[in-house]
Amino acid sequence: MNGNPAYHAIALAIGTLLVLPVPLAILTGWRPRGLRGRPLAARPYAWAVFCLYTLMPLNAIPRMLNAPADTVMACTALGFVSIAAAVGCFIQAERTARRADPKWVA
C-alpha cells in the first residue's frame, strides 16, 4: 500500500531542498523582492509556507516506515490541521499588510 520507501525519501529530500529554505530565510530576516514593501506581512507568509511544508513529512515518513494504514490515514488527517493553520497564517498576513499600508485596501 505504501509503495517504495526510496521514492518517498527522494520526494521528501527534493521537497525539503526546494520549499524549506525560503521560509527559514524569511524568518531570519531576508525579504523576497515581492515582500519588501510589506515587511510586517513577511513573517506570517513564512509561517504559512512552513505549515504547508509540514505536509511533506507527515505524508512521507509513515509511508517510508511502512506504517499500517490507520497510521498513514491519521497522519493524512493531521495534515488538514496543518492546512488550516496555513490558511490562518495567510489571512493574518493579508490583514497585517492591509493594516500597515492603506494602499492595499481594495
Side-chain angles (χ1 to χ4, degrees):
M1 175 200 155
N2 293 329
N4 190 342
Y7 294 144
H8 295 292
I10 291 168
L12 181 60
I14 291 172
T16 299
L17 290 175
L18 292 177
V19 175
L20 197 55
V22 174
L24 289 178
I26 290 173
L27 290 173
T28 59
W30 176 76
R31 299 289 180 261
R33 189 175 357 157
L35 291 176
R36 287 190 184 133
R38 301 185 281 175
L40 295 176
R43 290 184 67 83
Y45 279 126
W47 281 111
V49 173
F50 187 71
C51 286
L52 292 176
Y53 165 76
T54 59
L55 292 171
M56 290 180 203
L58 273 176
N59 283 315
I61 292 174
R63 287 176 167 85
M64 287 170 29
L65 298 174
N66 201 20
D70 292 340
T71 305
V72 173
M73 290 303 294
C75 289
T76 301
L78 191 59
F80 287 109
V81 174
S82 178
I83 291 171
V87 168
C89 289
F90 279 128
I91 290 170
Q92 177 66 30
E94 185 63 26
R95 286 183 178 171
T96 303
R98 287 177 187 260
R99 207 175 321 127
D101 191 3
K103 75 175 183 175
W104 289 98
V105 177

